[in-house]
C-alpha cells in the first residue's frame, strides 16, 4: 500500500511538472520555467544533501566514538539497553530514513527561498547609501537576507547534529549519569564540545550580522530604523557580544583539546551573562533613563532619517505640496457651472452603473460583468482629439445555465465571454440608460472593429478544451445567442493559444493534473484540440513573472483590433533601511475592496515599492507581454539579470497601447497611506503628530463609513495643470476629525511629461472645510436636498448614492455625488440628482442640483412603459380592494360588538392578499360556531357571503402579482 501511495505521489508530481513545462512553452516563456524550477531543484538538493550529510556524519562519528567497554554505570540502564538491542540491528535503515526526512524537509524549505538566492547573485547597486553604515542600499536588500538565510541553515545543521550525537552517545554508553552527575567519555566530551563551539562561533557571526539589522529596528520614536538607543547602546552591545561569543567558542575548542569541562563552562556562563547584561539590560537603561526624558532631542536626527528614507522608498520624495485656500467668493452656481464643464464630471459611478450593465447588456444569464467597472479614456470618432472618460467592462462568462453544468457544457461548450460594453461617465442617454459608445451583442459602437471573443478574462477559472472537430456534436463552442432555429451561433477557437492535447500522452497528463477521466476518454477531443487554463489575466502574469507583486485591478483596453488586459506589476521589498513598513493588503483595503487588492507573490509588510512593469494579456490568444516601466529600478534590474529577455524595454510598448496606460490604483493607495504622515518634513512636527492626516471613510459605501474611500480616476484641472488631465484623486482629513485637510492628485496620463507627479493641495488649518462625511450629512439634512431625495424615494424606490468626489474648482473645493434611483413612473424617466457643495463663504451648506435623466437600471427592476401602465392600473384596483376590506372589517366588528383593534391587530390593519382572505374566512367560521342554533341559518348565509367577498379580494391580489411578474418576464424576454 505504501508503495502504491508513493507511486501515485510521484506520478502526480511528474504530471504537474510536465504540464507546467508544456504551458510555459505554449506562451514562449520556457526560460522562466527553466530558471525557477532549476533554482528550486538546485537549492532542494544542495541544502537537503548538506543537512543530511552533516547530521549523518556526526551520527556516524558518535557511533565510531562509542566506548568499547561500557562503564558499570551504563549497565544500570535497562530501558536504554532494551531500546539499543531493538534498534541496533536496523540502525543503518533507521538512520537513512531519518536523514532522508531531514533532507526532504530542509530541501523543500530551501527551495522556497529561490527569490533570495536569485536576488543575491544578480544584485544591482542602488546608487544610494544608508545613513548609518554608509553601505549601498543593495547590501541590505540583496546580501543581508541571504546571510541570514545561510546562518539559519548552519544553525539548524549544527543543532540537529548536536541532538543526533547526544542521542547516539547516550544509546551506546558514551554519555550518561553517574551519582546524579553527567558522565562522558573523553571522546564523547571532545565531540560535543566541538559541536557546541561551532554553534557559539555561529552565534558570534550572527551577532555581527545583527549589527546591520538595527536599520530595521522599531524601537522608540523611530517607526522603522535605528534610533538613539540602537546606535549608542545596541550597536556597541552587538559588537561586544560578537567578540565574547568568538572567545567563548575558543574556550569550547580548548576544552575539547584539553579534555576539560572547566573552560567550556566558564565560556558558556560568560556568554549567557553578557547576553543578559550587555544585550538586554544596558539598552533598556539607556532607553529609560537617557532617551525618554529627552526623547525629541535625542531622536531628532533619526526621525529625520526615517522621513527622508521613507519618502525615497515609496517614490513620494518629489510630491509637490501647494497651499490651497479652499474658499471662494464666487457663487455656488458659478462653481457648479465650472465643475460641470470639466470633461470628466461624473454622472456614472463605476461601482453603481455596473448593475445597469448587468441588467441591460447581460443578454443571457451565463454572461456577467464585474461589480466595479474599469475607467479608461478613448478618442471617439467625430468628437475631436480630446479623449473621453469611459466606464467599460468585458462581458465575461459565468458558466453554463443553472442545472446544465455538466462536463461537456462547462469545459467544451461555454468557453468564452463575448464583447465589451462602454459608456460615457459624464452623461446619460434618453430614457435614463447609460450613454453607450459600445454595446449590444455582437458589439457595435464607436470603438471600431475588434475581435470580441474573450477566452482569457476575469472570472474564467475553469479550463476549456477548444478547437474540436467542426460539425460534430459536442465539438463546437457556443459563440453568442442569435435569433435562428438553434438560438445561438457556434464557433471553433482559432486563436493560436493553449496547449495541444491531441496526443494520448498529453491527454493522460492533463487527466492526471485536473483529476478528470473525461479528458482521456471524450470523443469531442481530437488532434486539433487545445486546452486553455490559467485564463485569468492575473494568474497568467503571476505565472510568467513570479517575482512581481501585481495590482488586483486589471482593466480591458480595446486597441489594434483586439481586447487586451493591462496589469500593473510592482517590485517590492521590506528591507529598505529606515523606511516605514506597512501592510500592502491593509493599505489597499477600501469600500470597493475590503480585503485588499493585491495579487502575485505573497506580500505581507513592505517598505519599498515601484511600478516597474506593465503586463499586457491578449484576451483572444492569451499571449503575455511584459514591458519595463518608469525610471531605473535596481530591484527590476536584478530580476532582469535573473530572467534575461523576459521583460522588454519600455520603448517597445506599442503606440496603440501607450495612451491607455495609467497610474496604478494600488500604488496610489499605498502612497497616500504614506503621505498621510510623511507629508510632514519637520522632525519636531512629525514627533508631535498634530498635522497627521488619514484617508476618510466612504460615506456612500455598501456599509457607510466603515471602509476608506477608494481613489477615483477622472479628468480634472488643478493648480499646476495647463489643461484638464486624466488623473487619480483622493482626499485627506485630519486624524480623528471629519473636516477636509487636503486633496491629493497624481497625473495619470503617460503621454504627458508630468505623468506620476503627485500634487497635494493643502487647506489652511485655521479654517474648516467640510469633509466627505460632513458633506454627505449636509446633503441629507439640507431642506432642498432632502426634498429631492424624498422625491426620488417615492413609491419605495431605493436611492443609491454614488462616489463622493472632491475636486478643486475656482479656488474652492467642490464635492459631488450622483444619486441614482429607478424611476417611480416609466414615462417620463426619473431624474438623477447630482449633489454638489461648494466652498463659498457664508454658504457652506448651499446645495446645487444638476438634473439629468436617470440610469433606471442602476437599482431595482427595469420597467417597460407597458408594464408601468399596467402596474399603475393595478395599484388603483388594489387600493379599491383594500377599502372594501376595511369596510367589511368594520361591518363584522360592529355586528359582533368586538373592537376592530382586537380583531385585526394594531390600528385595525388587515393583512393584505391571501392572508387577508384567510383571516376573514377563519373569523367567519369562528363566528358561526359561536352563534345560537336559532340564528345558524342566517349567520351561515352571511358567513358564506363574506367568504365569497374575501376570496374575490384574494384573487384580485394574486392577479395583480401575476401581472407584475408577467410584465417583468416579458421585459427580460425582449432583452434576451
Amino acid at each position: 500500500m505504501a508503495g502504491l501511495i508513493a507511486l501515485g505521489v510521484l506520478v502526480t508530481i511528474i504530471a504537474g511538472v510536465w504540464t507546467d513545462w508544456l504551458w510555459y512553452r505554449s506562451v514562449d516563456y520556457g526560460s522562466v520555467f527553466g530558471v525557477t524550477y532549476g533554482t528550486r531543484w538546485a537549492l532542494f538538493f544542495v541544502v537537503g544533501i548538506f543537512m543530511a550529510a552533516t547530521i549523518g556524519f556526526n551520527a556516524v562519528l558518535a557511533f565510531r566514538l562509542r566506548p568499547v567497554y561500557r562503564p558499570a554505570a551504563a549497565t544500570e540502564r535497562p530501558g536504554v539497553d532494551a531500546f539499543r538491542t531493538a534498534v541496533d540491528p536496523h540502525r543503518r535503515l533507521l538512520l537513512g530514513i531519518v536523514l532522508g526526512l531531514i533532507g526532504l524537509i530542509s530541501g523543500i524549505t530551501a527551495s522556497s527561498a529561490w527569490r533570495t538566492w536569485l536576488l543575491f547573485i544578480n544584485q544591482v547597486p542602488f546608487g544610494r547609501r544608508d545613513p548609518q553604515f554608509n553601505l549601498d542600499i543593495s547590501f541590505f536588500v540583496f546580501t543581508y537576507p541571504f546571510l541570514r538565510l545561510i546562518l539559519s541553515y548552519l544553525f539548524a545543521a549544527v543543532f540537529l547534529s548536536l541532538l543526533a550525537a547526544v542521542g547516539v552517545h547516550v544509546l551506546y554508553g558514551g554519555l550518561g549519569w553517574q551519582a546524579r552527575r553527567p558522565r562522558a567519555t573523553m571522546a564523547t566530551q571532545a565531540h560535543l564540545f566541538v559541536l557546541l563551539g561551532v554553534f557559539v562561533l555561529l552565534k558570534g557571526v550572527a551577532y555581527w550580522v545583527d549589527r546591520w539589522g538595527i536599520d530595521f529596528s522599531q524601537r522608540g520614536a523611530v517607526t522603522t530604523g535605528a534610533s538613539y538607543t540602537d546606535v549608542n547602546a545596541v550597536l556597541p552591545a552587538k559588537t561586544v557580544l560578537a567578540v565574547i561569543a568568538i572567545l567563548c567558542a575558543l574556550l569550547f575548542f580548548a576544552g575539547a583539546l584539553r579534555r576539560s569541562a572547566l573552560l567550556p563552562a566558564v565560556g558558556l556562563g560568560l556568554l549567557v551573562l553578557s547576553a543578559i547584561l550587555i544585550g538586554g539590560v544596558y539598552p533598556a537603561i539607556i532607553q529609560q533613563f537617557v532617551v525618554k526624558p529627552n526623547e525629541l532631542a535625542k531622536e531628532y536626527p533619526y526621525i529625520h532619517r526615517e522621513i527622508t528614507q521613507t519618502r525615497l522608498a515609496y517614490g513620494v520624495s518629489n510630491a509637490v505640496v501647494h497651499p490651497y485656500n479652499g474658499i471662494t467668493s464666487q457663487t455656488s452656481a458659478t462653481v457648479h457651472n465650472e465643475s460641470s464643464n470639466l470633461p470628466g464630471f461624473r454622472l456614472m459611478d463605476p461601482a453603481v452603473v455596473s448593475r445597469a450593465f448587468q441588467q441591460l447588456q447581460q443578454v443571457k444569464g451565463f454572461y456577467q460583468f464585474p461589480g466595479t467597472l474599469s475607467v479608461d479614456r478613448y478618442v471617439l470618432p467625430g468628437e475631436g482629439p480630446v479623449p473621453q472618460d469611459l466606464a467599460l467592462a468585458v462581458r465575461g462568462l459565468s458558466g453554463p445555465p443553472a442545472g446544465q453544468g455538466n462536463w461537456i457544457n462547462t469545459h467544451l461548450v461555454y468557453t468564452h465571454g463575448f464583447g465589451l460594453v462602454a459608456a460615457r461617465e459624464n452623461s446619460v442617454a434618453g430614457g435614463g440608460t447609460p450613454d453607450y459608445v459600445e454595446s449590444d451583442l455582437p458589439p457595435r459602437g464607436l470603438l471600431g472593429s475588434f475581435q470580441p471573443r474573450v477566452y482569457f478574462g476575469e472570472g474564467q477559472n475553469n479550463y476549456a478544451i477548444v478547437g474540436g472537430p467542426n460539425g460534430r456534436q459536442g465539438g463546437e463552442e457556443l459563440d453568442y445567442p442569435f435569433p435562428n432555429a438553434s438560438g445561438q451561433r457556434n464557433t471553433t477557437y482559432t486563436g493560436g493559444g493553449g496547449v495541444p492535447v491531441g496526443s494520448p500522452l498529453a491527454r493522460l497528463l492533463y487527466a492526471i493534473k485536473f483529476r478528470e477521466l473525461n479528458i482521456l476518454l471524450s470523443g469531442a477531443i481530437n488532434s486539433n484540440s487545445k486546452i486553455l487554463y490559467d485564463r485569468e489575466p492575473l494568474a497568467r502574469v503571476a505565472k510568467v513573472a513570479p517575482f512581481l507583486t501585481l495590482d488586483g485591478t486589471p482593466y480591458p483596453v480595446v486597441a489594434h483590433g483586439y481586447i487586451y488586459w493591462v496589469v500593473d506589476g510592482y517590485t517590492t521589498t521590506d528591507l529598505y533601511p529606515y523606511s516605514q513598513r506597512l501592510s500592502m493588503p491593509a493599505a489597499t483595503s477600501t469600500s470597493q475592496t475590503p480585503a485588499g487588492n493585491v495579487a502575485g507573490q505573497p506580500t505581507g509588510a513592505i517598505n519599498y515599492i515601484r511600478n516597474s512593469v506593465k503586463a499586457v494579456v491578449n484576451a483572444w490568444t492569451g499571449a503575455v507581454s511584459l514591458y519595463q516601466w518608469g525610471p531605473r529600478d535596481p530591484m527590476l534590474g536584478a530580476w532582469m539579470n535573473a530572467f534575461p529577455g523576459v521583460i522588454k524595454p519600455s520603448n517597445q510598448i506599442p503606440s496603440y497601447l501607450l495612451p491607455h496606460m495609467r497610474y496604478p490604483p494600488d500604488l496610489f493607495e499605498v502612497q497616500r497611506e504614506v503621505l498621510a504622515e510623511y507629508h510632514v518634513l519637520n522632525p519636531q512636527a512629525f514627533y508631535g503628530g498634530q498635522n497627521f492626516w488619514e484617508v476618510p471613510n466612504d460615506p456612500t459605501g455598501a456599509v457607510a463609513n466603515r471602509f476608506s474611500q477608494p481613489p477615483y480616476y477622472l479628468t480634472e484641472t488643478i493648480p499646476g495643470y495647463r489643461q484638464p488631465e486624466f488623473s487619480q484623486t483622493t482626499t485627506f482629513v485630519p486624524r480623528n476629525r471629519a473636516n477636509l485637510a487636503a486633496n491629493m492628485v497624481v497625473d495619470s496620463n503617460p503621454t504627458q511629461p508630468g505623468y506620476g507627479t503627485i500634487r497635494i493641495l493643502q487647506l489652511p488649518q485655521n479654517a474648516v472645510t467640510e469633509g466627505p462625511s460632513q458633506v454627505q450629512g449636509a446633503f441629507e439634512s439640507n431642506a432642498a436636498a432632502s426634498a429631492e431625495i424624498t422625491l426620488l424615494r417615492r413609491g419605495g424606490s431605493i436611492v443609491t448614492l454614488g462616489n463622493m468626489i472632491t475636486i478643486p474648482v475656482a479656488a474652492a473645493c467642490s464635492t459631488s455625488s450622483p444619486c441614482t434611483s429607478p424611476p417611480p413612473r416609466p414615462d417620463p424617466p426619473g431624474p438623477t440628482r447630482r449633489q454638489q457643495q461648494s466652498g463659498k463663504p457664508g454658504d457652506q451648506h448651499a446645495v446645487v442640483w444638476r438634473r439629468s435623466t436617470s440610469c433606471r437600471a442602476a437599482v431595482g427592476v427595469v420597467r417597460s412603459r407597458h408594464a408601468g401602465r399596467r402596474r399603475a392600473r393595478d395599484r388603483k384596483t388594489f387600493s379599491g380592494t383594500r377599502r372594501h376590506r376595511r369596510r367589511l372589517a368594520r361591518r363584522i366588528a360592529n355586528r359582533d360588538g368586538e373592537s376592530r383593534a382586537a380583531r385585526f391587530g394594531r390600528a385595525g390593519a388587515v393583512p393584505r392578499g391571501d392572508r387577508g382572505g384567510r383571516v376573514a374566512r377563519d373569523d367567519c367560521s369562528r363566528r358561526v360556531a359561536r352563534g345560537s342554533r336559532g340564528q345558524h341559518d342566517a349567520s351561515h348565509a352571511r358567513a358564506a357571503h363574506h367568504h365569497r367577498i374575501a376570496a374575490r379580494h384574494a384573487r384580485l391580489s394574486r392577479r395583480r402579482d401575476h401581472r407584475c411578474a408577467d410584465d417583468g418576464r416579458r421585459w427580460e424576454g425582449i432583452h434576451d
Side-chain angles (χ1 to χ4, degrees):
M1 178 59 75
L4 291 177
I5 294 175
L7 179 61
V9 171
L10 180 61
V11 169
T12 303
I13 293 175
I14 293 175
V17 174
W18 199 329
T19 52
D20 271 357
W21 159 245
L22 294 176
W23 187 91
Y24 277 103
R25 189 178 63 177
S26 71
V27 294
D28 295 328
Y29 283 95
S31 61
V32 176
F33 175 88
V35 172
T36 54
Y37 272 88
T39 305
R40 288 176 179 177
W41 284 108
L43 291 174
F44 174 85
F45 284 112
V46 170
V47 175
I49 292 173
F50 168 76
M51 292 291 291
T54 302
I55 298 168
F57 170 78
N58 282 279
V60 173
L61 180 61
F63 177 76
R64 290 181 176 273
L65 295 176
R66 70 190 185 280
V68 179
Y69 300 102
R70 287 181 294 130
T75 62
E76 300 174 0
R77 308 176 302 169
V80 175
D81 290 341
F83 184 72
R84 185 186 66 251
T85 303
V87 168
D88 190 66
H90 311 287
R91 63 178 183 273
R92 289 186 175 86
L93 176 61
L94 293 175
L95 180 62
I97 293 174
V98 171
L99 294 179
L101 289 175
I102 292 175
L104 178 65
I105 295 172
S106 302
I108 291 174
T109 57
S111 65
S112 63
W114 62 274
R115 295 182 180 89
T116 302
W117 166 251
L118 287 179
L119 287 175
F120 171 71
I121 64 173
N122 295 284
Q123 58 182 281
V124 173
F126 273 67
R128 288 194 297 268
R129 297 182 176 272
D130 87 295
Q132 177 59 41
F133 298 98
N134 199 33
L135 296 173
D136 192 88
I137 301 297
S138 60
F139 173 82
F140 297 91
V141 175
F142 304 130
T143 305
Y144 177 75
F146 179 72
L147 295 178
R148 301 291 303 179
L149 178 68
I150 295 298
L151 281 173
S152 66
Y153 283 105
L154 291 176
F155 271 118
V158 174
F159 179 73
L160 293 177
S161 296
L162 185 61
L163 291 182
V166 169
V168 174
H169 285 307
V170 169
L171 189 63
Y172 287 95
L175 182 64
W177 290 84
Q178 187 175 13
R180 297 184 179 180
R181 296 178 61 184
R183 179 209 52 80
T185 64
M186 291 298 181
T188 299
Q189 184 174 282
H191 185 199
L192 297 182
F193 282 171
V194 169
L195 288 176
L196 287 171
V198 173
F199 189 89
V200 175
L201 183 63
L202 289 175
K203 187 62 179 174
V205 176
Y207 277 132
W208 189 264
V209 173
D210 286 344
R211 297 169 68 255
W212 299 310
I214 66 171
D215 269 5
F216 312 108
S217 172
Q218 296 182 337
R219 184 195 306 268
V222 181
T223 306
T224 302
S227 63
Y228 179 91
T229 301
D230 293 312
V231 173
N232 295 279
V234 175
L235 182 60
K238 295 289 185 182
T239 305
V240 172
L241 288 173
V243 175
I244 292 176
I246 295 173
L247 293 177
C248 292
L250 295 177
L251 292 177
F252 275 97
F253 296 146
L257 292 175
R258 300 184 60 179
R259 304 294 196 267
S260 172
L262 178 60
L263 293 178
V266 171
L268 182 61
L270 177 62
L271 181 62
V272 172
L273 186 62
S274 301
I276 295 174
L277 295 180
I278 301 177
V281 175
Y282 175 64
I285 292 174
I286 296 297
Q287 179 69 26
Q288 183 66 36
F289 297 104
V290 177
V291 175
K292 282 193 174 181
N294 307 283
E295 191 169 44
L296 177 58
K298 298 295 185 182
E299 302 288 16
Y300 189 96
Y302 307 105
I303 295 175
H304 184 267
R305 290 180 181 181
E306 181 187 9
I307 294 172
T308 303
Q309 297 301 313
T310 298
R311 290 171 63 91
L312 284 171
Y314 287 98
V316 297
S317 58
N318 295 324
V320 181
V321 179
H322 298 277
Y324 191 73
N325 191 21
I327 298 177
T328 181
S329 58
Q330 300 183 24
T331 64
S332 58
T334 303
V335 174
H336 169 70
N337 289 334
E338 289 195 20
S339 63
S340 300
N341 292 329
L342 291 175
F345 188 76
R346 271 195 182 178
L347 286 178
M348 291 293 180
D349 181 356
V352 175
V353 78
S354 171
R355 282 167 273 182
F357 278 38
Q358 190 75 9
Q359 294 188 13
L360 296 176
Q361 291 293 325
Q362 183 185 20
V363 181
K364 289 292 185 180
F366 48 81
Y367 290 126
Q368 65 179 2
F369 290 97
T372 301
L373 307 183
S374 300
V375 178
D376 200 359
R377 63 269 184 226
Y378 289 82
V379 176
L380 301 178
E383 300 190 15
V386 179
Q388 304 292 317
D389 292 357
L390 302 181
L392 67 163
V394 165
R395 186 184 288 105
L397 184 71
S398 61
Q404 304 299 318
N406 54 62
W407 183 80
I408 292 290
N409 282 339
T410 302
H411 301 289
L412 276 74
V413 176
Y414 293 88
T415 58
H416 60 278
F418 200 95
L420 177 141
V421 179
R424 305 177 199 269
E425 278 202 314
N426 60 353
S427 65
V428 290
T433 59
D435 188 4
Y436 296 114
V437 299
E438 190 75 28
S439 61
D440 298 337
L441 199 155
R444 57 186 178 87
L446 302 179
L447 299 185
S449 176
F450 59 91
Q451 172 59 256
R453 295 167 182 85
V454 181
Y455 282 85
F456 301 87
E458 290 185 290
Q460 297 181 191
N461 301 314
N462 293 324
Y463 65 88
I465 300 178
V466 298
N470 293 327
R472 186 196 292 182
Q473 183 178 3
E476 289 194 347
E477 313 152 40
L478 167 69
D479 200 16
Y480 62 91
F482 190 77
N484 56 13
S486 63
Q488 66 184 46
R489 283 278 180 89
N490 293 337
T491 188
T492 297
Y493 179 69
T494 57
V499 181
V501 288
S503 68
L505 178 59
R507 295 172 69 170
L508 176 62
L509 290 172
Y510 281 101
I512 296 172
K513 177 181 177 65
F514 293 110
R515 296 173 176 83
E516 179 56 66
L517 189 60
N518 287 320
I519 297 177
L520 189 61
L521 302 179
S522 176
I525 303 175
N526 71 344
S527 58
N528 297 320
S529 297
K530 294 184 176 182
I531 186 168
L532 312 178
Y533 60 101
D534 291 328
R535 298 197 288 158
E536 288 192 309
L538 290 177
R540 295 184 76 79
V541 176
K543 203 164 181 177
V544 301
F547 46 87
L548 294 178
T549 300
L550 303 180
D551 193 289
T553 312
Y555 60 97
V557 171
V558 177
H560 203 61
Y562 291 99
I563 298 175
Y564 297 93
W565 295 97
V566 178
V567 180
D568 288 285
Y570 308 111
T571 53
T572 61
T573 183
D574 63 342
L575 294 171
Y576 196 97
Y578 272 104
S579 175
Q580 183 192 8
R581 288 173 174 166
L582 57 81
S583 169
M584 195 167 178
T588 58
S589 173
T590 66
S591 60
Q592 294 180 0
T593 56
N597 197 37
V598 188
Q601 63 167 303
T603 302
I606 64 168
N607 66 357
Y608 172 92
I609 184 172
R610 291 291 186 273
N611 175 216
S612 297
V613 174
K614 295 287 187 181
V616 179
V617 180
N618 190 309
W620 166 244
T621 65
V624 182
S625 299
L626 304 176
Y627 299 102
Q628 185 179 3
W629 185 258
R632 175 184 177 271
D633 176 23
M635 289 285 294
L636 182 66
W639 288 123
M640 292 178 70
N641 290 341
F643 296 91
V646 170
I647 300 175
K648 303 174 184 178
S650 57
N651 57 16
Q652 293 187 19
I653 298 177
S655 58
Y656 52 83
L657 286 177
L658 183 61
H660 297 282
M661 301 298 179
R662 66 185 191 184
Y663 202 80
D666 283 5
L667 176 61
F668 189 68
E669 288 166 357
V670 169
Q671 289 175 331
R672 73 173 179 176
E673 192 76 15
V674 171
L675 285 172
E677 294 182 0
Y678 290 89
H679 69 278
V680 180
L681 301 181
N682 183 277
Q684 183 175 357
F686 189 91
Y687 177 82
Q690 64 269 17
N691 294 326
F692 285 174
W693 301 331
E694 63 185 7
V695 180
N697 288 335
D698 191 354
T700 64
V703 181
N705 293 309
R706 182 176 178 183
F707 299 102
S708 61
Q709 270 191 324
Y712 301 110
Y713 287 103
L714 70 160
T715 300
E716 60 178 330
T717 300
I718 66 168
Y721 281 8
R722 291 177 297 178
Q723 60 185 9
E725 291 290 355
F726 185 70
S727 306
Q728 197 171 179
T729 183
T730 188
T731 56
F732 291 113
V733 296
R735 182 165 292 180
N736 300 322
R737 296 288 302 279
N739 58 285
L740 193 65
N743 194 41
M744 175 177 165
V745 180
V746 63
D747 189 342
S748 298
N749 186 354
T751 62
Q752 297 296 324
Y755 171 82
T757 301
I758 296 176
R759 294 176 172 85
I760 300 176
L761 305 183
Q762 185 172 3
L763 298 172
Q765 299 185 30
N766 56 0
V768 176
T769 303
E770 293 182 331
S773 62
Q774 293 173 323
V775 173
Q776 180 60 38
F779 288 156
E780 293 285 352
S781 61
N782 183 272
S786 179
E788 294 284 2
I789 292 177
T790 301
L791 180 63
L792 288 174
R793 288 172 175 164
R794 70 190 187 276
S797 296
I798 300 175
V799 175
T800 300
L801 301 177
N803 37 225
M804 183 74 66
I805 299 180
T806 301
I807 55 177
V809 178
C813 289
S814 175
T815 301
S816 59
S817 174
C819 293
T820 308
S821 170
R825 295 182 302 274
D827 190 19
T832 289
R833 274 75 174 176
R834 184 176 183 87
Q835 311 173 82
Q836 182 171 331
Q837 181 161 328
S838 63
K840 177 187 174 185
D843 191 24
Q844 289 294 320
H845 292 282
V847 179
V848 181
W849 295 84
R850 178 180 181 181
R851 183 181 294 273
S852 64
T853 54
S854 168
C855 174
R856 64 165 63 159
V859 180
V861 180
V862 180
R863 296 168 175 167
S864 67
R865 181 175 301 179
H866 185 59
R869 290 174 180 169
R870 284 191 176 182
R871 290 172 187 171
R873 184 182 63 218
D874 289 340
R875 282 196 296 269
K876 182 176 179 181
T877 303
F878 186 60
S879 62
T881 63
R882 289 164 57 184
R883 287 196 295 273
H884 284 303
R885 276 205 299 275
R886 295 193 192 100
R887 204 171 296 144
L888 173 63
R890 286 195 297 270
R891 194 178 300 136
I892 294 174
N894 292 335
R895 185 186 68 244
D896 289 7
E898 296 179 332
S899 69
R900 182 179 177 198
R903 177 62 57 193
F904 294 106
R906 294 194 305 270
V910 180
R912 292 182 288 181
D914 289 327
R915 289 189 300 163
R918 186 170 62 253
V919 170
R921 292 195 296 271
D922 294 343
D923 190 59
C924 291
S925 301
R926 289 192 296 271
R927 194 170 298 106
V928 169
R930 286 197 305 270
S932 63
R933 189 176 185 84
Q935 298 175 336
H936 176 73
D937 293 337
S939 299
H940 187 276
R942 286 195 300 273
H945 174 68
H946 297 322
H947 175 83
R948 287 194 297 273
I949 293 176
R952 178 172 176 269
H953 294 163
R955 286 196 302 274
L956 288 174
S957 178
R958 287 195 299 271
R959 189 178 305 165
R960 176 185 61 83
D961 294 337
H962 291 164
R963 284 175 177 173
C964 293
D966 290 340
D967 289 340
R969 286 192 294 269
R970 186 176 298 109
W971 179 257
E972 293 173 359
I974 293 173
H975 284 270
D976 283 346

